[in-house]
Amino acid sequence: MAVPAPLGTEDRTARLTLRRPDAWRREDSAQADLRVTGDDVVLTVRSRPSDRTIAEEHTSLLERLPGSVDGLRLIGSDPWTATGAPARLVEYVRPDEGGDVAGAHLLFVTGRHRVDLTIERPLADMLATDELVFAVLDTVRATEPAPSRVQRDLEALPDPAPAPEVDGHRIGTEALGTLRSLAGRRWNPTLLRTAAGRELIDVGLVGRLGTLPESTQTLLGPWEGDAQPITLEQRLPDGRTTRLQAWSETVVDGPDGTDETGAVVTGLSAERVVAVMAGRLGIGPAWTFPFRTRSLRADLLGRRTGGGDSAPDLPAALAEADPRLARFWAAPWTVSTLQRPGKPAPIVIVHAEGQGFARVGRTEAGETAFSTDSPANVYRSLVRALLA
């Protein structure tokens, strides 16, 4: 992998060494062993005595992190093998006054100490800085190397945080259609004579004389042209379907776009839409290991992702040969389709309860690619769709 900037400078503490770009600057900090900043990236190293195992320290970190900042979401957790000591890499996203922040937290233990290295940067720069951040992480070495034994049973991981609520105006399907027809207007007195118009007045989206408040005009702005939304459609384990659509910062959240209960209409920043979709997808820490099987019969997988009264069984020979796939297949599924404007093929992601994520790929000669994917990579798909 090509590194965007040469890692020409070595930094050393009592517990580790690392390499980073020359342009980053070391800062004095009484609260950290090391603090380095540059290119909107902040790297911090802290350590303290500990004789606990990596599993114990990792479990403690996952319990503590979500409560440290309101709205923080854990988006991934993986074993890390490059440091020369037992380690875990935890990724998270947290709100901040200047915009959401993406963090990578490398935790390792030596038997005598616990070491925490965090690298934070703006979420909007996550994709652009990924290569550099992981290149720096790859250079981290413990100065007190400790053997990392293979663990047959990894520690339990917490359930993902619930999705943030989408607050806004709940309106029926006809009222939503009428609202969209108002794009580009400031006043429409005929609204007073229709049930849909009166509904819009009752919820405050339209004034009593048919005028459009400034907040409603802001909502209508993205609908004035022919812009297409980013759409997340989901089929839940109980058979219900949901749809969340985002046109710039105008969001429509409804059961499936045709349900009589209507939808919620509101304005959200792109970062808030990422947070809501991440919650809907169930993104959180999950161990990710590959299936032995790389593809499945298209008709079999299509029936499983399509819902219905009864899911097809995985062929016995396949289940015996690939126990991980068998466990994934047997768990309740949430099937999510992310459609992006200008992209002919949607991203199809399966979340199996308690088992993690898999991505549905291309179909060729009657076989459809089906492979596990980490929650952090799924999160990056959202960032690419909404913030890139």
Side-chain angles (χ1 to χ4, degrees):
M1 177 180 69
V3 179
L7 306 181
T9 299
E10 181 178 272
D11 284 311
R12 178 179 292 270
T13 74
R15 309 293 167 223
L16 62 75
T17 62
L18 61 83
R19 301 194 69 84
R20 44 86 173 176
D22 296 335
W24 294 7
R25 290 290 175 255
R26 187 163 180 165
E27 299 180 354
D28 293 332
S29 175
Q31 288 77 39
D33 301 353
L34 174 68
R35 179 181 170 87
V36 178
T37 62
D39 302 323
D40 289 328
V41 176
V42 179
L43 183 154
T44 307
V45 178
R46 295 183 176 89
S47 64
R48 60 176 174 79
S50 172
D51 60 1
R52 300 207 296 178
T53 67
I54 187 61
E56 292 170 329
E57 292 289 11
H58 181 224
T59 298
S60 174
L61 176 65
L62 295 182
E63 290 174 349
R64 178 181 61 80
L65 264 180
S68 62
V69 177
D70 187 32
L72 182 146
R73 176 171 292 276
L74 300 169
I75 64 170
S77 190
D78 295 286
W80 191 261
T81 60
T83 60
R88 300 285 185 268
L89 180 67
V90 176
E91 292 191 80
Y92 61 87
V93 175
R94 62 173 178 83
D96 190 72
E97 291 182 359
D100 286 4
V101 172
H105 189 132
L106 179 61
L107 166 71
F108 67 87
V109 297
T110 66
R112 292 186 293 178
H113 294 91
R114 161 183 167 154
V115 184
D116 296 83
L117 182 151
T118 60
I119 302 180
E120 294 193 329
R121 70 276 200 201
L123 177 62
D125 297 337
M126 184 184 198
L127 301 179
T129 57
D130 260 350
E131 286 190 5
L132 182 56
V133 166
F134 280 90
V136 172
L137 289 172
D138 278 336
T139 70
V140 176
R141 297 292 181 271
T143 56
E144 327 176 85
S148 182
R149 299 178 180 177
V150 176
Q151 291 181 259
R152 294 188 180 276
D153 297 314
L154 293 168
E155 57 271 24
L157 298 175
D159 293 332
E165 293 292 331
V166 177
D167 295 321
H169 301 280
R170 179 170 289 280
I171 56 178
T173 303
E174 289 188 13
L176 176 60
T178 299
L179 179 66
R180 293 195 60 177
S181 73
L182 299 176
R185 304 184 186 184
R186 293 180 179 272
W187 181 62
N188 187 352
T190 61
L191 291 175
L192 306 175
R193 298 193 294 270
T194 67
R198 289 192 294 273
E199 183 179 350
L200 295 176
I201 293 171
D202 290 341
V203 299
L205 285 167
V206 175
R208 290 292 171 184
L209 300 178
T211 55
L212 301 183
E214 186 175 342
S215 58
T216 299
Q217 293 179 40
T218 300
L219 282 177
L220 294 175
W223 289 336
E224 291 183 16
D226 57 358
Q228 297 299 307
I230 293 172
T231 302
L232 176 67
E233 293 186 329
Q234 294 186 288
R235 183 180 297 277
L236 306 180
D238 61 6
R240 290 181 297 123
T241 58
T242 67
R243 177 185 295 169
L244 181 69
Q245 295 181 291
W247 292 259
S248 183
E249 296 187 354
T250 297
V251 174
V252 176
D253 178 26
D256 62 5
T258 60
D259 192 282
E260 293 181 357
T261 60
V264 173
V265 181
T266 192
L268 293 176
S269 69
E271 289 185 343
R272 289 301 89 208
V273 177
V274 171
V276 171
M277 288 189 176
R280 299 280 177 91
L281 286 165
I283 290 175
W287 301 122
T288 304
F289 300 100
F291 300 139
R292 294 177 181 174
T293 307
R294 296 185 178 182
S295 65
L296 294 168
R297 286 196 342 258
D299 64 323
L300 178 70
L301 186 57
R303 297 198 334 263
R304 183 66 176 92
T305 57
D309 295 334
S310 60
D313 292 331
L314 192 66
L318 194 54
E320 184 177 353
D322 196 340
R324 186 172 292 122
L325 174 61
R327 291 192 296 272
F328 191 98
W329 191 272
W333 280 17
T334 296
V335 181
S336 303
T337 302
L338 183 66
Q339 183 69 61
R340 302 151 295 165
K343 302 290 185 180
I347 296 172
V348 182
I349 297 164
V350 176
H351 180 224
E353 189 175 313
Q355 301 298 318
F357 293 88
R359 196 173 290 239
V360 179
R362 295 181 179 178
T363 299
E364 295 182 359
E367 290 281 318
T368 299
F370 190 62
S371 58
T372 56
D373 203 1
S374 72
N377 280 344
V378 174
Y379 188 89
R380 283 172 169 81
S381 294
L382 295 178
V383 174
R384 189 172 292 109
L386 290 154
L387 300 180

